[in-house]
Each structure stands twice: as structure tokens, then as C-alpha cells.
Amino acid sequence: MWRRVARLSSLIRSSKASLSNQIQPANGLQILEAFSTEIQKSAKGRNHHRKKPPFITFVLGGPGSGKGTQCLKIVETFGFTHLSAGDLLRKEISSNSENGAMILETIREGNIVPSELTVKLIQREVESSENDKFLIDGFPRTEENRQTYERVVGAEPNIVLFFDCPEEEMVKRVLSRNQGRIDDNIDTVKKRLEVFNALNRPVINYYSGKGKLYKVFIQPTIQGSIVMIPAVGTEDEIFTRVRKIFTSLEVLSMLSPQFSIPIGVILFTLTNLLRR
Ligand SMILES: Nc1ncnc2c1ncn2[C@@H]1O[C@H](COP(=O)(O)OP(=O)(O)OP(=O)(O)O)[C@@H](O)[C@H]1O
Ligand SMILES: O=c1ccn([C@@H]2O[C@H](COP(=O)(O)O)[C@@H](O)[C@H]2O)c(=O)[nH]1
Ligand SMILES: [Mg+2]
């Protein structure tokens, strides 16, 4: 890549030198120069040291299900990088990017931003990071999002974490979040729940069918002959379940690629141990 960039720069320099004898600096040349600068900037940001594809976790769940809250705890405990698709889009709004106004309107309405744009923002963050494990929070929202990600990035996520939370609780949490989000109002929340049920559930079902889904909920308890199904749990109670999932992944070495043991070897060893 660097060699290609250097070659492109020297090509531009030599064509500028020959052109400057004939005409005023051409617009096309300026565009090419700007293009070259962009390539150099993006090449610098790219993570060339990464030999293996990063470990990607998609974090899904309805609005207010606790994705962001649990992601912060996973970051602290397991060293992931947290990329919230919603936060990346909100950053585009606050930085007055060319798509800012369209994104603002889409979020206000509780609709979904075009896939290419969101995938580009996520991909840029992953490629410029030194880390090799990521939580992609709140993405993909639709089957079209998912297909675009898999086509552009050329890979599926390693696992998908799904926070299953009752709607009543999600609405209560969103309406008392108090972070000044334009979509934290009853009308937009209703729309977001509709969009979640209609468009996000098929994505969850898809990954469930592929055996990649880890569902997080509070285990029912049995008291006498009554099965108690708690609506929700505290942040720490939920994290106890999340922690188990990531700890078991660590045991399987999925999160420590440098020490990774092929899954076949683990199964062979376990089978032999159990036979004894
Ligand atoms: N287990 C919990 N019990 C009670 N409140 C919680 C719990 N987890 C998170 N919250 C609170 O609920 C609100 C929503 O949580 P959070 O922002 O993590 O949800 P989210 O899934 O990221 O939502 P969104 O999709 O809207 O971004 C926050 O104010 C958070 O403090
Ligand atoms: O992949 C995505 C993620 C988010 N959006 C839009 O942003 C809001 C807020 O997202 P949160 O994950 O709740 O922060 C969401 O309702 C969508 O409007 C999106 O379009 N695509
Ligand atoms: Mg969130």
C-alpha cells in the first residue's frame, strides 16, 4: 500500500512538473493531489500490523436494553474496544459532516441510516485501531445492514450478544436516561421498538441459526411450584451473565489469538479426559 501511495505521489509530482510548462495548474491535477493526500492519510490510519482478522462481537438489543452500559463493563474487564454505531452517527452530526443533517433527521424519526455510511464509519474505526477485539454496539439493525457489512468487510462477526429485555422496562429506561438524546421521547421510542421488532429481530434469528448468538437474560428461579421470571436485573447481575460468556470464550482461547489452540485440539483433549 505504502509503495502504491509513494508511486502515485511521484507520478503526480512528475506530471505536475511537465504540465506546469504548458498550462496553469489544472483543476484535475489539484483534485489528484487532494486524492493522493487522502490516500496517504487513510493509509497512515490503517492497521498494517494486524495479521489476523480482529475478533468482532455484534451487540444487539432493543432501545434501552443496556447494550452501552454492559459494553463499558466488557471493555474494563476484557479489553475490548467499544464502537457504538449510534455514537459514531451522532459524532457525524456534531462534526457537521456532509451527511450530518440527513443522519439527524433519520435518528429523530427512529429510522435507519443507509448501510454504506454506517459500515464505512465502523470500518474506519476498526482499521485505525491497534486493538484486535471489538464490540460493535447497535449494529447491524437490519438484514440489509448485515449483508452490506459482510460484503464490504468480507467477514462475519465471531459472536453476537443479544440483550433480551422486556419492552416496558426498555421504555422506562429510555425515558429516564436524561442524556439529551433527540430520540429519547415517547413517539420516537415507539417507532424504534417497531423498527427493532420488524427489522432487527430477523438479524438476531439469522445469527441464532448460525450458532453465533449469546442471549443475555436473567435466569428464572423456581420457588415451590412457581417459576419466577424476573423482568430485569441490576447492571451487575446482568454483567455476571455477560462475564461468564466472555470468560468461557477466553478459556476456549478465542479471545487470545496469540495463544490460540485449535478448537479441534480442545475437543479432542476434553473427550479424552472425559473418557478416563
Ligand atoms: N440493568 C439495568 N437496570 C436499570 N437501568 C439500567 C440497566 N442497564 C442500563 N440501565 C440504564 O438504562 C438506560 C439505557 O441503557 P443503555 O444506554 O446502556 O441502553 P442501550 O441499549 O445502549 O440503548 P440505546 O439503544 O438507546 O442506545 C441508561 O440510563 C442506563 O443507565
Ligand atoms: O447501525 C445503526 C445504528 C443506529 N442508527 C440510528 O441511530 C439511532 C440511535 O442508535 P443507538 O444504538 O440507540 O444509539 C437509531 O435509532 C437509528 O436511528 C442507525 O441508523 N444505524
Ligand atoms: Mg446505546
Side-chain angles (χ1 to χ4, degrees):
M1 176 70 177
W2 273 114
R3 239 182 267 147
R4 281 214 324 265
V5 171
R7 225 184 308 137
L8 184 58
S9 298
S10 90
L11 197 73
I12 290 168
R13 267 197 306 277
S14 61
S15 52
K16 187 180 179 182
S18 65
L19 266 175
S20 62
N21 295 331
Q22 302 158 32
I23 47 171
Q24 289 291 308
N27 272 345
L29 199 58
Q30 285 165 343
I31 292 167
L32 260 179
E33 275 184 323
F35 179 58
S36 158
T37 313
E38 276 313 303
I39 294 179
Q40 295 199 38
K41 264 199 261 165
S42 80
K44 267 182 203 152
R46 276 212 185 118
N47 200 353
H48 291 284
H49 66 270
R50 192 180 283 139
K51 293 198 179 77
K52 282 185 182 176
F55 186 96
I56 300 288
T57 301
F58 284 163
V59 182
L60 302 180
S65 58
K67 302 179 293 295
T69 305
Q70 294 298 322
C71 280
L72 296 184
K73 291 177 181 287
I74 302 168
V75 167
E76 274 170 26
T77 314
F78 296 97
F80 276 72
T81 292
H82 175 210
L83 300 176
S84 154
D87 285 350
L88 293 176
L89 293 169
R90 283 182 282 272
K91 217 158 86 184
E92 287 293 287
I93 300 173
S94 54
S95 66
N96 290 321
S97 84
E98 54 172 333
N99 294 306
M102 178 272 288
I103 297 172
L104 176 69
E105 221 27 62
T106 309
I107 291 182
R108 195 202 301 278
E109 297 291 322
N111 286 324
I112 305 299
V113 169
S115 300
E116 255 79 14
L117 176 51
T118 318
V119 170
K120 199 177 81 186
L121 295 174
I122 294 170
Q123 199 181 26
R124 194 169 68 190
E125 294 297 316
V126 171
E127 286 181 352
S128 63
S129 168
E130 296 286 316
N131 206 344
D132 59 3
K133 43 194 180 186
F134 297 86
L135 301 166
I136 301 184
D137 162 3
F139 179 92
R141 300 295 250 244
T142 66
E143 271 291 280
E144 206 258 324
N145 266 182
R146 176 186 73 70
Q147 286 161 8
T148 305
Y149 176 92
E150 292 182 359
R151 176 173 46 77
V152 173
V153 173
E156 289 193 0
N158 297 77
I159 62 163
V160 178
L161 205 57
F162 168 40
F163 290 97
D164 198 8
C165 184
E167 279 198 14
E168 221 181 71
E169 174 69 16
M170 292 195 274
V171 172
K172 196 175 83 188
R173 287 185 193 171
V174 166
L175 295 182
S176 52
R177 180 157 42 190
N178 262 334
Q179 286 174 3
R181 279 178 51 166
I182 45 153
D183 51 349
D184 280 355
N185 60 73
I186 188 63
D187 291 336
T188 315
V189 171
K190 276 187 190 158
K191 179 65 196 288
R192 289 164 70 199
L193 282 169
E194 273 172 38
V195 169
F196 171 71
N197 286 319
L199 303 179
N200 206 191
R201 285 205 186 269
V203 177
I204 292 161
N205 293 338
Y206 173 85
Y207 286 123
S208 173
K210 296 207 109 191
K212 294 199 167 188
L213 194 79
Y214 291 78
K215 193 162 154 172
V216 185
F217 59 102
I218 291 284
Q219 196 85 327
T221 54
I222 298 174
Q223 291 183 7
S225 58
I226 303 170
V227 180
M228 309 284 286
I229 304 179
V232 279
T234 63
E235 291 176 12
D236 286 343
E237 279 168 338
I238 306 284
F239 188 63
T240 305
R241 306 212 148 254
V242 172
R243 184 200 286 275
K244 279 184 188 151
I245 293 169
F246 284 92
T247 304
S248 66
L249 291 172
E250 271 194 331
V251 170
L252 286 176
S253 299
M254 284 175 78
L255 293 181
S256 312
Q258 64 273 40
F259 303 119
S260 81
I261 307 164
I263 188 79
V265 174
I266 295 170
L267 290 177
F268 178 80
T269 314
L270 282 177
T271 318
N272 277 307
L273 280 174
L274 290 173
R275 272 210 202 112
R276 284 183 188 173

